Amino acid sequence: MGQILALVIVLLVIVGIAKLVRIVPQGYEWTVETFGKYTRTLTPGLHFLIPIYQAVGRKINMMEQVLDVPSQDVITKDNAVVRVDGVVFYEVLDASKAAYEVANLEQASLALVMTNIRTVLGSMDLDESLSQRDAINAKLLKVVDEATHPWGVKVSRIEIKDIAPPRDLIDAMARQMKAEREKRANILDAEGFRQAAILKAEGEKQSVILAAEGEKEAAYRAAEARERSAEAEAKATTMVSEAIASGNVNALNYFVANNYVEALKEIAKSPNQKMLLLPMEATGILGSLAGIAELAKESLGQQKPPTISPQPLR
């Protein structure tokens, strides 16, 4: 009997020590209740409680937690039905509020997020909901964070994981995108043809301008050459006239013979001439050549050679 009593006393002592000494792990906070009423919060570390008088109420996880938002059907502003799911990152800042201001923190947060997803997406068109993920996340975060603040919770991020339209709507969007791409391709082709035609016309214009410039330059050069030729001819005529006026007949012979020979050369160059008739006296040509020789000898200051008597041609 005494042994049983001793054993009971030992067990009571062990239980009392267990109720007296409490160790709160890192990342958690425990609430303390005195006769069922909240009195204080235990932070991580060693703590002592008065058994029966004090007890641990709620054990709150203070680390950042992830809450998966299940997929749900949402109707957009343009009456398109999409399936949406997401994820929420939140952290408890006040353990007492999280423990006593809301009955089930996770369930309440989840219901709040799902409701606001329907509200935000319902105010947007389908194209906006598919292209403005950041705007949707920002609106959800602002609304949900303000709503959960009385619960001692800080919502750090809300991310929409997927927005899935119905299959027939996806096919219609694919056809629309294909038509839009074909339209852009046709516009680019037309723009390319237009640019090519413009460049071709510009090139032809520049070619005509350059050809006209070339013809203008050629005409200018030809006129300049004719002018110089005329000046040379006039100068030669003046010299011959002066020589004739001074009594030098050989200069006249040279002038006549030179023109005569040039005329014969032009006749010989004609492509239609197969046979050339010379209606002239050979003695006249020889006499002109003799005059040329005399004029050259006088200009060089040499002695006059014996005159060659022309012989009749046989």
Side-chain angles (χ1 to χ4, degrees):
M1 191 70 182
Q3 292 179 351
I4 296 174
L5 182 59
L7 182 60
V8 170
I9 293 173
V10 171
L11 290 176
L12 290 175
V13 170
I14 293 173
V15 172
I17 294 174
K19 294 289 185 178
L20 175 65
V21 179
R22 293 301 177 97
I23 299 176
V24 180
Q26 183 67 38
Y28 285 82
E29 289 185 2
W30 295 356
T31 62
V32 177
E33 298 177 354
T34 302
F35 294 122
K37 182 180 179 180
Y38 168 77
T39 55
R40 62 192 177 96
T41 301
L42 302 180
T43 58
L46 180 63
H47 298 273
F48 296 95
L49 300 179
I50 300 174
I52 301 175
Y53 177 71
Q54 293 178 327
V56 175
R58 304 288 180 88
K59 299 178 180 180
I60 305 300
N61 187 347
M62 305 298 292
M63 296 179 288
E64 187 174 18
Q65 302 176 64
V66 180
L67 182 64
D68 286 328
V69 180
S71 61
Q72 59 177 332
D73 292 333
V74 178
I75 300 176
T76 61
K77 185 178 180 180
D78 52 354
N79 296 324
V81 179
V82 293
R83 196 161 189 82
V84 185
D85 59 359
V87 62
V88 180
F89 297 85
Y90 72 96
E91 180 182 2
V92 177
L93 300 180
D94 192 331
S96 61
K97 290 182 178 181
Y100 301 108
E101 293 294 336
V102 59
N104 190 323
L105 180 61
E106 290 188 1
Q107 183 178 358
S109 300
L110 185 60
L112 185 62
V113 172
M114 294 180 68
T115 302
N116 282 278
I117 286 177
R118 290 194 294 268
T119 302
V120 172
L121 289 179
S123 63
M124 304 175 69
D125 295 333
L126 176 61
D127 293 337
E128 294 177 347
S129 63
L130 293 176
S131 61
Q132 299 182 10
R133 295 284 186 95
D134 293 338
I136 296 173
N137 295 335
K139 290 181 179 179
L140 288 175
L141 179 60
K142 181 180 178 181
V143 174
V144 175
D145 187 43
E146 290 178 356
T148 56
H149 181 70
W151 302 341
V153 175
K154 172 64 178 178
V155 179
S156 57
R157 293 191 303 277
I158 297 180
E159 300 289 340
I160 298 297
K161 292 194 298 185
D162 189 22
I163 300 177
R167 186 62 191 177
D168 55 347
L169 188 58
I170 294 177
D171 294 338
M173 293 170 61
R175 291 192 298 269
Q176 180 183 2
M177 182 176 60
K178 182 180 179 181
E180 188 67 24
R181 289 180 177 176
E182 291 178 352
K183 175 183 176 182
R184 289 199 298 267
N186 293 332
I187 292 174
L188 290 176
D189 290 341
E191 187 67 23
F193 291 143
R194 174 177 174 270
Q195 192 66 22
I198 292 174
L199 292 177
K200 182 179 179 181
E202 191 68 24
E204 292 177 352
K205 174 184 175 182
Q206 292 296 328
S207 176
V208 171
I209 292 174
L210 291 177
E213 289 290 337
E215 292 177 357
K216 177 182 177 182
E217 185 67 18
Y220 175 76
R221 297 295 183 184
E224 187 178 10
R226 289 194 298 271
E227 181 181 357
R228 292 183 179 178
S229 176
E231 291 177 356
E233 188 71 19
K235 186 175 180 180
T237 304
T238 302
M239 293 176 64
V240 171
S241 299
E242 292 177 354
I244 293 173
S246 63
N248 190 349
V249 184
N250 291 328
L252 179 60
N253 293 334
Y254 167 75
F255 185 74
V256 174
N258 185 40
N259 292 336
Y260 204 74
V261 171
E262 290 294 330
L264 289 177
K265 183 170 69 173
E266 293 298 328
I267 294 175
K269 285 182 180 179
S270 177
N272 297 327
Q273 297 294 336
K274 304 301 181 180
M275 182 176 64
L276 183 63
L277 298 178
L278 301 176
M280 62 184 179
E281 287 184 293
T283 56
I285 297 176
L286 294 176
S288 298
L289 293 175
I292 293 172
E294 291 295 332
L295 182 61
K297 288 177 181 180
E298 289 180 3
S299 63
L300 295 174
Q302 298 178 355
Q303 286 186 344
K304 183 178 179 181
T307 302
I308 300 175
S309 300
Q311 299 295 330
L313 294 176
R314 300 182 182 181

